[in-house]
Amino acid sequence: MHGMRAYRTNDRDLRRLTSAIRSTDPVAGYTHSFYRYPARFSPIFAREMIDKFSRPNDVILDPFMGGGTSIVEAKALGRRSVGSDVSSLAVFLAKTKTRVLTKDDRTTISNWSEAVAAEGLNLRNPVTRDSEWTGEGYLKNLISRSTWAIRKALELSLAALGTLPTIDQRMFARCIILRTAQWALDCRKAVPSANDFRAQFLIFAKEMLCGSAEFERDCSRWGAPEGYQELCLHQSALTLGSIYKQTTLPPPKLVLTSPPYPGVHVVYHRWQLRGRREMPAPFWIAGTKDGAGASFYTFGDRHAAGLNSYFETALKAFHEVAKIADDRTTVVQMIAFSNRATQLKRYLRVMNEAGFVELPRSYETGVPGRTWRVVPNRKWYASSKGNTASSYEVVLFHRLAR
C-alpha cells in the first residue's frame, strides 16, 4: 500500500511538471512582463522546475539567462541564483527585474511617470539628441517620417530619468520606457501615434509597479542570506566555470536555462520594424552597448553548413557547466531545432561529451523525461509560415554521468 501511494504521488508530479512544460498561458506575474525577450520560457515552467529540483537557499544557475525568468522565480521562491549572458541588454533586464523596490520607490516612480505623461512627452518640448548613440547607429531606422514622433517621445522620456534620485528607480523607469518602445516598434505593422504611446506608457507603468509590489511581497517571505544578492553577470558561458568559483557559492542544485537554438532565426539583439527592418534601439534605451552581430548571440551563423560552430560552442559552454555542477545538480533546458531529425541527436552527443547523461521518464524520481511542446505566441511573421521544425521546443533533463 505504501508503494502504491508513492507511485501515485510521483505520477501526479509527472503530470504537473508535464503540464507546466506545455503551458501556453501568457507570460505574466511578478516582473516577467517588463519586456518581451525572444524565446523566453514560461514562469509557470520555471516555478515548477525550481520547486521540484531544489529547496530554499539552494543555488539556481542560468548560464543563458536572457530576460531573467529563472532568476526572478528563484528569488521569489527563496533560492540563491546566478545568471549570465553575453548580451548587455539581457543583463540590464535581469538586474532590473530582480530588484526589490520599496513602497516609497514605487510611489516616486508612479509620480514620475504621471508627470512625464502629462508634461514631459509634449513633442513641442526641446530635447538634446545624444550624438554618441546616433553616431554609432543605435537610432538606425528610427529617424524617419513614420517614426519621428516615437523617437522624440523616447528622447524626452529618457531625458526625464535624471529627475529620479536613485539608481534602482532610474533602472525601473528606463524599463518602462523600453517596454513601451517595444510595444510601439517591434514587429508592429503600423507605428502608433505619440498620444497612443503616452497612454500605453502610463498603462505599462501601472502594471509594472503592481508586479513589483507582488514580487516584493513574495521575496520578503524569505529574506536574503546574509551578504548575498543574486548575481546577473555580463559573462560568456564559455568562461563561467572560473568566474563561478570566485563567488564561493556551492554547486547549483538546478541549472535551468534555454540556450540558443541551432539554425533557428531568433533575433535577440534587435527589434524588427514591420517584421523586416532591424533596429538596435533597445540598447540605446537601456543605456547599454551592443556586443556584436547576430552570430555573437547564437553560437555562430545559423546559415553555416553543418552548424559546426554552434555545436563546438555548445560543447565548450556545457563543459563549463560541468565544472560547476556536482552529482546532485539537475540540468533542465528548453531548446528548439531547425532540423529535429539530425540536430537533436547531435545535441545529445554534445551533452554526453560535456559529461552529462540524459534522464529518462521515471515515476520513481518524478522526472517527466524528454517532453515536447508547441511554441505559443509566435510573432506574426513567423506564424504566417505555419508549423515548422522550430515551432516545437523540447525540454531535456540531464545530470553528470557517474
Side-chain angles (χ1 to χ4, degrees):
M1 183 64 70
H2 175 76
M4 182 60 72
R5 283 199 299 270
Y7 177 90
R8 286 176 177 169
T9 299
N10 286 329
D11 187 31
R12 285 196 296 270
D13 285 351
L14 285 169
R15 285 189 277 109
R16 189 181 71 249
L17 291 176
T18 301
S19 176
I21 290 169
R22 292 176 174 160
S23 172
T24 58
D25 291 350
V27 174
Y30 296 147
T31 57
H32 295 303
S33 62
F34 281 20
Y35 187 82
R36 291 175 58 86
Y37 201 83
R40 58 185 177 163
F41 49 60
S42 164
I44 296 172
F45 163 72
R47 194 173 308 135
E48 288 293 342
M49 298 303 135
I50 293 169
D51 186 60
K52 168 67 179 176
F53 296 106
S54 69
R55 294 292 178 265
N57 211 40
D58 284 341
V59 178
I60 310 300
L61 170 67
D62 188 343
F64 312 102
M65 70 179 171
T69 302
S70 299
I71 311 303
V72 170
E73 286 297 325
K75 186 164 185 173
L77 290 169
R79 275 66 165 173
R80 294 176 287 176
S81 57
V82 178
S84 70
D85 207 287
V86 293
S87 170
S88 60
L89 176 63
V91 175
F92 165 78
L93 289 166
K95 286 183 174 180
T96 304
K97 291 163 73 173
T98 52
R99 287 290 187 270
V100 177
L101 299 183
T102 66
K103 185 177 181 180
D104 287 345
D105 285 330
R106 289 192 294 275
T107 298
T108 299
I109 295 167
S110 177
N111 292 338
W112 173 87
S113 63
E114 290 176 2
V116 168
E119 304 169 8
L121 294 183
N122 184 336
L123 298 187
R124 294 188 178 87
N125 292 343
V127 67
T128 302
R129 182 162 299 158
D130 193 314
S131 58
E132 178 184 350
W133 292 97
T134 305
E136 293 182 13
Y138 284 90
L139 275 67
K140 179 183 178 182
N141 290 324
L142 192 55
I143 304 176
S144 68
R145 180 177 298 179
S146 64
T147 59
W148 78 268
I150 299 300
R151 186 210 72 224
K152 182 72 178 286
L154 291 172
E155 291 170 330
L156 290 166
S157 54
L158 288 170
L161 290 172
T163 61
L164 290 166
T166 72
I167 292 175
D168 285 354
Q169 291 171 12
R170 291 193 291 272
M171 288 177 67
F172 191 99
R174 193 181 284 274
C175 205
I176 298 173
I177 301 168
L178 184 67
R179 177 70 185 96
T180 313
Q182 185 183 39
W183 166 84
L185 298 169
D186 189 24
C187 292
R188 287 291 297 255
K189 295 181 180 179
V191 177
S193 68
N195 284 336
D196 290 336
F197 181 95
R198 187 181 299 109
Q200 196 64 44
F201 174 84
L202 276 177
I203 291 171
F204 283 141
K206 292 175 182 177
E207 288 180 356
M208 291 167 65
L209 288 167
C210 286
S212 173
E214 179 189 14
F215 186 55
E216 182 204 11
R217 183 197 67 214
D218 283 3
C219 288
S220 66
R221 294 183 303 164
W222 307 99
E226 187 174 351
Y228 174 77
Q229 181 172 317
E230 67 284 340
L231 299 176
C232 301
L233 306 173
H234 189 197
Q235 174 70 43
S236 168
L238 302 186
T239 53
L240 189 56
S242 58
I243 300 298
Y244 190 93
K245 288 179 181 178
Q246 295 174 26
T247 69
T248 70
L249 289 166
K253 201 65 175 293
L254 173 66
V255 177
L256 179 60
T257 194
S258 182
Y261 297 173
V264 177
H265 182 51
V266 179
V267 184
Y268 292 100
H269 67 310
R270 295 285 188 270
W271 291 339
Q272 292 180 281
L273 187 64
R274 297 187 179 91
R276 296 187 300 276
R277 288 184 287 165
E278 292 190 357
M279 311 173 70
F283 288 89
W284 163 56
I285 298 167
T288 65
K289 293 299 178 79
D290 189 0
S295 62
F296 178 71
Y297 303 101
T298 58
F299 291 177
D301 185 353
R302 68 186 177 93
H303 297 295
L307 297 176
N308 291 329
S309 175
Y310 174 91
F311 289 103
E312 290 168 4
T313 306
L315 177 59
K316 293 176 183 177
F318 280 99
H319 264 309
E320 293 296 303
V321 174
K323 293 178 185 178
I324 299 167
D326 67 11
D327 59 3
R328 299 180 304 159
T329 303
T330 305
V331 179
V332 180
Q333 54 185 314
M334 181 178 288
I335 188 167
F337 304 95
S338 59
N339 186 326
R340 282 188 285 171
T342 60
Q343 292 168 2
L344 174 57
K345 292 179 181 178
R346 190 173 179 186
Y347 192 82
L348 292 174
R349 286 200 303 271
V350 162
M351 292 299 294
N352 290 340
E353 290 175 32
F356 293 96
V357 60
E358 186 178 9
L359 300 180
R361 181 180 178 89
S362 169
Y363 286 104
E364 181 180 353
T365 61
V367 174
R370 196 183 304 173
T371 305
W372 290 92
R373 71 192 295 268
V374 176
V375 179
N377 305 317
R378 301 171 71 212
K379 293 181 178 179
W380 58 268
Y381 63 84
S383 297
S384 66
K385 298 178 181 178
N387 285 337
T388 62
S390 58
S391 304
Y392 302 91
E393 295 166 323
V394 65
V395 174
L396 304 173
F397 296 82
H398 284 83
R399 283 193 180 150
L400 284 175
R402 294 186 182 275

